[in-house]
Amino acid sequence: MAQQADGSRQSPSTPSVSGPPAPPQRPGMSLSSPPPIPAAVKPPGPARLSRSLWLASFVAGIAVVFTGFLGRDAHFERLKGVIQSMVPDGDANSVEGAAAVVFLGSLAMIAVVVAMEVVLLAILFRRRTWPRWALAPLLLLHAVVTVITADYVVAPGNDGVMAMVLLAAQFILAAAGLILLFLPSTTAWLLSGRRA
C-alpha cells in the first residue's frame, strides 16, 4: 500500500474488468478415464454375415412351425394312422390326443430352440463373449430336435420336401453363423467391448 503525505495509507486501486467473465478452468487430461459416451464400433464383416445367417435360420425355423401348423389336419391324420398301427386297441380319442401332442410338441420344440437362439444372439451382439459358447451346445440340441421332429412335421413323399428343405437350411445356416462367431476378427470385436 502506498503512503500519502499526511501519513494515511491509500488502498491500491483495483483495475476495472471489462468483458465477460473468464470460463472456469478445465480439468487436466487423463488417459485413464473413459470418454463420457462410448464410441459405437461397427461389427466386423464376419460378425455381420453371421448375424444374417442366423436371421435366415430363424426365418426358416419359423416357416417350418407356421406351415406345419397350417397343415396340422393332414399331419394329425397321418400320425393317427401311425399310432393306431402301434396300438391297435387304443380308443379314438386317445389316439387323436396322442397325435396332437406329438405333432404340436414337435413344433413347440422347434420354436423353443429358435427362441433360445434369438435371445443368445441378441445378447452376443451387445458385445458379450459368453453367448457364443452357449450357442455351441444349443446348436447340438438344435440338431437333435431337427432329427427327432423331422419324422413328425415332415409329410412323406413330395408333400414334405419343403419342410425338409427348411429344416435342413435352418440347421446349416445356424452352424455357418456359429463358425463365423469364432473367427479372430469377431473375437477381437467382442473382447474390445469388454474393455470399453
Side-chain angles (χ1 to χ4, degrees), residues 44-61:
R48 291 194 308 271
L49 179 59
S50 172
R51 181 172 47 195
S52 299
L53 292 174
W54 277 104
L55 291 175
S57 170
F58 301 152
V59 169

Side-chain angles (χ1 to χ4, degrees), residues 10-29:
Q10 178 185 5
S11 62
S13 61
T14 57
S16 64
V17 177
S18 63
Q25 268 193 330
R26 295 181 185 221
M29 294 290 286

Side-chain angles (χ1 to χ4, degrees), residues 57-71:
S57 170
F58 301 152
V59 169
I62 292 167
V64 169
V65 172
F66 184 70
T67 57
F69 187 76
L70 289 180

Side-chain angles (χ1 to χ4, degrees), residues 37 42-43 45 50 58 68 83-84 92 95 103 112 118 122 180-181 194:
I37 299 172
K42 195 174 180 182
S50 172
F58 301 152
I83 294 170
Q84 280 176 339
V95 169
F103 180 71
V112 166
V118 166
L180 291 173
L181 291 178
R194 285 200 311 199

Side-chain angles (χ1 to χ4, degrees), residues 8 26 35 43 76 93 108 188 193:
S8 65
R26 295 181 185 221
F76 285 166
N93 288 338

Side-chain angles (χ1 to χ4, degrees), residues 72-103 151-152:
R72 65 190 177 278
D73 293 334
H75 288 289
F76 285 166
E77 292 303 319
R78 178 176 57 85
L79 290 174
K80 280 194 289 187
V82 171
I83 294 170
Q84 280 176 339
S85 68
M86 293 168 60
V87 186
D89 55 345
D91 65 17
N93 288 338
S94 298
V95 169
E96 189 169 340
V101 167
V102 167
F103 180 71
D151 288 337
Y152 307 119

Side-chain angles (χ1 to χ4, degrees), residues 88-143:
D89 55 345
D91 65 17
N93 288 338
S94 298
V95 169
E96 189 169 340
V101 167
V102 167
F103 180 71
L104 295 177
S106 298
L107 293 183
M109 285 187 352
I110 295 170
V112 166
V113 168
V114 169
M116 290 167 60
E117 290 171 345
V118 166
V119 169
L120 288 173
L121 195 69
I123 295 170
L124 183 134
F125 273 88
R126 292 185 179 202
R127 294 172 75 187
R128 304 289 185 264
T129 55
W130 66 266
R132 65 183 175 165
W133 295 104
L135 280 167
L138 185 58
L139 191 64
L140 291 177
L141 176 65
H142 186 149

